[in-house]
Amino acid sequence: MNYQRFFEDAISQVHAEKRYRVFANLERIAGRFPRAVWRANGTASEITVWCSNDYLCMGQHPDVITAMQQAAGRMGTGAGGTRNISGTNHPLVELEIELAELHNKPSALVFTSGFVSNEAGISTIARLLPNCLILSDELNHSSMIEGVRRSGVEKKIFRHNDLEHLESLLKSADKERAKLIVFESVYSMDGDIAPIKEIADLADRYNAMTYIDEVHAVGMYGAHGGGITEREGLADRIDVIEGTLAKAFGTLGGYITGSRALIDAVRSYAPGFIFTTALPPAIASAATASIRHLKKSSVEREAQQKQAQVTKDELAGAGLPVMPSDTHIVPLLVGDPELCKAASDRLLDMHGIYIQPINYPTVPRGTERLRITPGPYHTDQLIDELRDALLETWTELGIPFADGRSGEVAKSDRIISLVVPKSGG
């Protein structure tokens, strides 16, 4: 049997569907974010990154870097094994205390990634509840979907942010049956926000537990960076708050927070925790430094939100198809996988701008997009450069503009030569 043929066929299928992914070879430049070095074909050139999830540039904050360096100098690099075998390094203990306080929960548990924290957290909690029914938003992240699958319990999917549909599913279940509602606060591809209060109300009414993924909100929202639940004063109404250390906090890892009994149960039963090497002390120290800084400082959040709004206004004002977003996410609709990849390639090759194409299965077919994430260090000048590069790219590739005109029509109208007035900031 030619085993390699099966792998080659699988890759050929991805190519045929125009969704084969190529990773750019990038090297961020400390102290100069969003600038980075792009290496390709034996050459290196500086480019501007517009799609990083290091939303607040905390990965390059001096306090965070210093904390990592000092911890590595004192304790070395690795964790030495799982926490069951090697014990828990002290910086990891401090990190879990910091996370529990951030979300005003009694306890926290750190995993090696946000994917693992969702997969292990959801699956373990659901398995420990008798005859549990999971109710999951249809746009939940792959890590949450995997957690639901691994739980082995019955699941029902409710339409995205559809409270009526969720309530109908809750009504159809026995009120005394264990139920777990899993959803996100910020949905990262569209930038919309869940109706958290209303979902919590339904959970109270129908005797259900709640599990929220705040991965794209922690550090970004709330007076101390506790996410949308903190901003809206709802953290106490959610049973489990999950988050990541790898986005706004600029390091690595995932976590869940909740009651002492729940966290201890997951710690004791989740294979994804028990059999995985712990975060190294240097990373834990860096994460704690980042959280502590963002608890006290709102400068980064305010600057990021301001520049995100300026970016939305500039691109929309230029006729580009900015998709509706209530958050810092700026999705730009392309609607075709081949064009989406071509636009990303052209922006990088011709303009030195890196924005990774977002194609199926990350988003539904026909909604392919460029996902832009402005940060506090994307200046007004960089936003202007982005706008002009996108106009040129849309025009040359024939991608439809917001008003439905194709790029060729826009080209004939000389839209590329228009000077778009600034709308603020």
Side-chain angles (χ1 to χ4, degrees):
M1 179 179 290
N2 180 4
Y3 287 101
Q4 296 308 309
R5 177 172 59 85
F6 297 103
F7 305 120
E8 291 165 358
D9 289 347
I11 293 300
S12 296
Q13 180 65 28
V14 176
H15 277 290
E17 295 175 0
K18 310 298 183 184
R19 59 184 184 91
Y20 182 77
R21 303 183 186 205
V22 177
F23 300 145
N25 183 354
L26 302 180
E27 180 181 325
R28 297 201 299 175
I29 306 170
R32 292 185 57 201
F33 189 78
R35 300 294 286 171
V37 174
W38 172 45
R39 301 183 187 277
N41 303 317
T43 63
S45 56
E46 279 199 22
I47 55 97
T48 303
V49 177
W50 274 97
C51 56
S52 174
N53 282 344
D54 186 0
Y55 293 131
L56 303 178
C57 199
M58 291 303 295
Q60 299 193 27
H61 193 282
D63 292 352
V64 178
I65 294 173
T66 298
M68 178 174 281
Q69 291 171 334
Q70 290 180 348
R74 293 195 315 272
M75 290 171 273
T77 55
T82 69
R83 293 166 74 172
N84 294 283
I85 291 175
S86 301
T88 297
N89 62 73
H90 183 61
L92 195 45
V93 174
E94 292 184 310
L95 173 58
E96 288 177 340
I97 292 171
E98 203 70 38
L99 288 166
E101 291 178 352
L102 175 66
H103 295 293
N104 196 30
K105 297 294 184 187
S107 192
L109 190 66
V110 169
F111 298 80
T112 50
S113 75
F115 191 103
V116 176
S117 60
N118 269 334
E119 180 186 60
I122 293 171
S123 63
T124 304
I125 291 167
R127 282 200 308 269
L128 291 173
L129 295 172
N131 190 29
C132 181
L133 170 66
I134 293 180
L135 301 110
S136 178
D137 188 289
E138 68 177 339
L139 293 189
N140 277 341
H141 188 262
S142 174
S143 60
M144 304 180 79
I145 295 170
E146 193 60 28
V148 173
R149 286 175 178 164
R150 287 182 61 83
S151 73
V153 307
E154 183 183 0
K155 70 176 185 298
K156 293 187 177 180
I157 311 301
F158 62 92
R159 291 186 292 271
H160 179 53
N161 285 346
D162 189 328
L163 295 168
E164 289 186 4
H165 190 209
L166 174 58
E167 183 168 18
S168 71
L169 295 176
L170 288 165
K171 274 183 180 178
S172 67
D174 186 336
K175 188 168 185 179
E176 298 307 312
R177 184 181 184 183
K179 295 174 285 292
L180 180 66
I181 305 172
V182 296
F183 63 110
E184 301 182 39
S185 61
V186 173
Y187 288 84
S188 64
M189 290 301 118
D190 294 320
D192 57 336
I193 298 174
I196 301 172
K197 178 183 179 300
E198 290 78 4
I199 290 176
D201 290 342
L202 289 175
D204 290 345
R205 189 177 310 153
Y206 294 98
N207 191 29
M209 286 186 65
T210 48
Y211 180 112
I212 192 169
D213 175 315
E214 287 256 45
V215 159
H216 292 274
V218 291
M220 302 292 292
Y221 300 95
H224 306 96
I228 300 296
T229 49
E230 184 195 21
R231 187 187 73 177
E232 299 182 5
L234 296 169
D236 63 326
R237 300 198 59 199
I238 303 297
D239 293 297
V240 183
I241 298 177
E242 184 267 351
T244 187
L245 305 168
K247 293 183 170 59
F249 292 130
T251 57
L252 179 72
Y255 64 89
I256 59 173
T257 64
S259 71
R260 292 192 187 281
L262 183 147
I263 296 300
D264 200 17
V266 173
R267 181 188 70 86
S268 301
Y269 282 89
F273 173 82
I274 296 170
F275 300 105
T276 300
T277 298
L279 280 189
I283 293 177
S285 293
T288 299
S290 181
I291 294 165
R292 286 175 178 169
H293 177 83
L294 290 175
K295 278 182 175 179
K296 298 181 296 183
S297 173
S298 62
V299 173
E300 293 82 4
R301 283 188 286 275
E302 291 172 357
Q304 192 274 340
Q305 289 165 13
K306 173 179 176 292
Q307 294 310 96
Q309 189 59 54
V310 171
T311 303
K312 290 178 185 179
D313 293 343
E314 286 292 322
L315 302 189
L320 290 158
V322 179
M323 301 171 71
S325 167
D326 301 320
T327 61
H328 56 282
I329 309 297
V330 185
L332 202 58
L333 181 65
V334 177
D336 177 272
E338 198 165 9
L339 281 177
C340 199
K341 176 68 167 60
S344 176
D345 290 345
R346 187 176 184 87
L347 287 166
L348 189 55
D349 294 336
M350 301 287 294
H351 301 283
I353 288 174
Y354 176 62
I355 309 174
Q356 181 70 4
I358 306 296
N359 290 338
Y360 177 85
T362 305
V363 295
R365 286 187 173 92
T367 69
E368 294 83 3
R369 68 198 67 179
L370 299 181
R371 177 182 176 271
I372 301 167
T373 56
Y377 299 108
H378 285 100
T379 63
D380 289 355
Q381 179 181 342
L382 288 176
I383 294 172
D384 289 345
E385 292 172 2
L386 172 67
R387 177 202 65 210
D388 293 343
L390 288 167
L391 285 171
E392 190 275 342
T393 298
W394 249 242
T395 300
E396 291 301 318
L397 296 181
I399 303 172
F401 282 80
D403 60 5
R405 291 179 299 166
S406 70
E408 288 304 313
V409 174
K411 190 173 183 179
S412 68
D413 289 346
R414 300 177 62 82
I415 191 170
I416 207 68
S417 68
L418 291 178
V419 177
V420 181
K422 292 192 72 61
S423 55

